[in-house]
């Protein structure tokens, strides 16, 4: 089908929760292709899903092989791929146990349920989250996401969340009461505008949680798995959370969410407490194992750090050049460019130059290239962004 035919069918049959601008049929590395054959540089990576690039041969092979062997078997039975993946994730992080589901919101729900069950006998259930956070679109995660624009129209929202200011430890202290069970945050607030937590804040939170007997929970759905130039976002500080969640990039587009807990929390859930039909099925787990292999073998965490620096240096030149471009933010390859006007205008202008990027709030353009991006593609992208900004803000023509 051509793009306009696809759009017609969307108009008729797909609920209008997004407003896409182009149709895509094919991807390879950092490139994606439209039905008419044009190609774009993809600096959205499926919103931080393709950390290893589109259709990485190792991941494709793992998916093909597993699909032809055993794609699903339910959690009524053991499967080897889930066992191997849980071991891998545990050893790479908290040395505890994992629970598998299908999305970021669902993984966060599992994490909050775990915290509630853990605190239940002491009457503790309230989770402190942060203004500008994003934790997903289920009803409870709307409550956790302290942004009016996602909550509006869906009240009454589930209770059990209190809000504090990001990077402000005093504000967290004020939000704590006898019902508080946990503090949950993104090490880098992504959807909320690319705001990294300071190491002092993370370390202060860890100490505060230890002092008050609270759990520290990290939502690593977007900032995990190398995106920020460390394997885990919290590693920019010296702390470790009690549990964290993954989704987006873990299985390279095969839907998967994961809750990873430390040993203290690893046996809180017992049979009957929580479940997921698809969670950790052989297909998604095989894809995730291949993703972890690629990240390790190709040194993508280091690559993310190195390319992130180069990219931010390049973008900083635009801050000098245009007064409408205010700031470059972010770590690794989770990068935001703050503009005075609407970020969407910059996204549209970049698309006209054959570069796909997205927004993170009103004024922040978000770039999420694959972590195995090369220097020459990065330079190509900077030229496209430069042309886009010149078209919008340049005075020469
Ligand atoms: C995308 C995202 C989610 C939600 O993930 P879904 O798979 O869309 O449910 C949750 N938390 C963060 C930090 C995210 O970026």
């Amino acid at each position: 089908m051509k793009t306009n035919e696809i759009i017609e069918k969307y108009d008729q049959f797909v609920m209008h929760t997004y407003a896409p601008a182009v149709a895509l049929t094919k991807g390879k590395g950092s490139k994606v292709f439209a039905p008419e054959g044009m190609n774009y540089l993809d600096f959205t990576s499926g919103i931080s899903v393709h950390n290893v690039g589109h259709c990485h041969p190792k991941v494709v092979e793992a998916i093909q092989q597993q699909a032809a062997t055993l794609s699903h078997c339910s959690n009524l039975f053991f499967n080897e791929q889930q066992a191997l993946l849980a071991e891998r994730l545990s050893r790479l992080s908290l040395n505890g146990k994992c629970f598998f589901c299908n999305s970021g919101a669902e993984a966060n729900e599992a994490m909050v349920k775990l915290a509630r069950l853990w605190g239940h006998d002491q009457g503790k259930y309230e989770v402190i989250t942060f203004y500008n956070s994003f934790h997903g679109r289920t009803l409870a995660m709307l409550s956790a996401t302290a942004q009016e624009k996602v909550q509006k129209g869906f009240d009454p929202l589930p209770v059990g969340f209190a809000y504090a200011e990001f990077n402000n430890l005093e504000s967290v202290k004020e939000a704590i009461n006898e019902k508080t069970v946990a503090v949950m945050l993104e090490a880098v607030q992504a959807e909320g505008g690319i705001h990294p937590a300071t190491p002092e804040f993370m370390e202060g939170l860890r100490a505060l949680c230890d002092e008050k007997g609270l759990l520290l929970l990290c939502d690593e759905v977007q900032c995990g798995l190398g995106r920020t130039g460390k394997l885990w976002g919290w590693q920019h500080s010296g702390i470790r959370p009690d549990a964290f969640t993954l989704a987006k990039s873990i299985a390279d587009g095969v839907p998967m969410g994961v809750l990873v807990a430390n040993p203290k929390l690893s046996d809180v859930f017992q049979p009957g407490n929580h479940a997921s039909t698809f969670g950790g099925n052989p297909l998604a787990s095989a894809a995730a194992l291949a993703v972890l292999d690629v990240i390790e073998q190709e040194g993508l965490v280091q690559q993310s750090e190195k390319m992130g620096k180069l990219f931010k240096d390049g973008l900083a030149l635009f801050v000098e050049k245009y007064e409408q471009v205010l700031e470059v933010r972010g770590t690794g390859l989770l990068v935001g460019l703050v503009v005075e006007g609407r970020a969407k205008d910059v996204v549209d202008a970049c698309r006209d130059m054959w570069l796909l990027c997205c927004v993170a709030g009103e004024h922040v353009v978000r770039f999420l290239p694959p972590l195995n991006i090369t220097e020459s593609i990065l330079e190509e992208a900077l030229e496209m962004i430069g042309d886009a900004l010149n078209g919008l803000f340049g005075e020469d023509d």
Side-chain angles (χ1 to χ4, degrees), residues 85-202:
L85 179 59
E87 177 183 28
R88 223 29 206 282
L89 289 172
S90 169
R91 293 200 197 286
L92 285 169
S93 60
L94 306 179
N95 296 307
K97 295 181 184 173
C98 303
F99 171 84
F100 294 94
C101 50
N102 316 288
S103 70
E106 212 187 328
N108 287 334
E109 291 265 346
M111 187 154 70
V112 169
K113 279 182 75 174
L114 184 79
R116 283 197 180 189
L117 197 57
W118 178 79
H120 190 259
D121 289 348
Q122 300 154 297
K124 293 172 173 234
Y125 60 83
E126 198 166 83
V127 177
I128 296 174
T129 61
F130 293 88
Y131 293 110
N132 266 322
S133 59
F134 185 81
H135 299 296
R137 299 285 192 153
T138 58
L139 279 171
M141 286 310 113
L142 287 187
S143 259
T145 297
Q147 295 197 55
E148 202 202 326
K149 69 174 185 203
V150 307
Q151 297 181 342
K152 211 172 143 207
F154 296 107
D155 51 299
L157 291 173
V159 296
F161 296 91
Y163 307 138
E165 257 175 55
F166 200 64
N167 280 332
N168 180 343
L169 200 61
E170 279 311 308
S171 140
V172 183
K173 284 181 188 159
E174 279 164 27
I176 294 174
N177 61 50
E178 69 285 353
K179 303 264 187 279
T180 309
V181 72
V183 177
M184 171 162 99
L185 82 166
E186 303 151 82
V188 181
Q189 288 190 329
E191 304 289 326
I194 321 292
H195 297 281
T198 64
E200 302 77 55
F201 181 60
M202 290 300 265

Side-chain angles (χ1 to χ4, degrees), residues 247-261:
K248 291 198 164 85
S249 62
I250 178 64
D252 195 44
V254 182
M256 171 174 260
V258 195
L259 163 63
V260 187

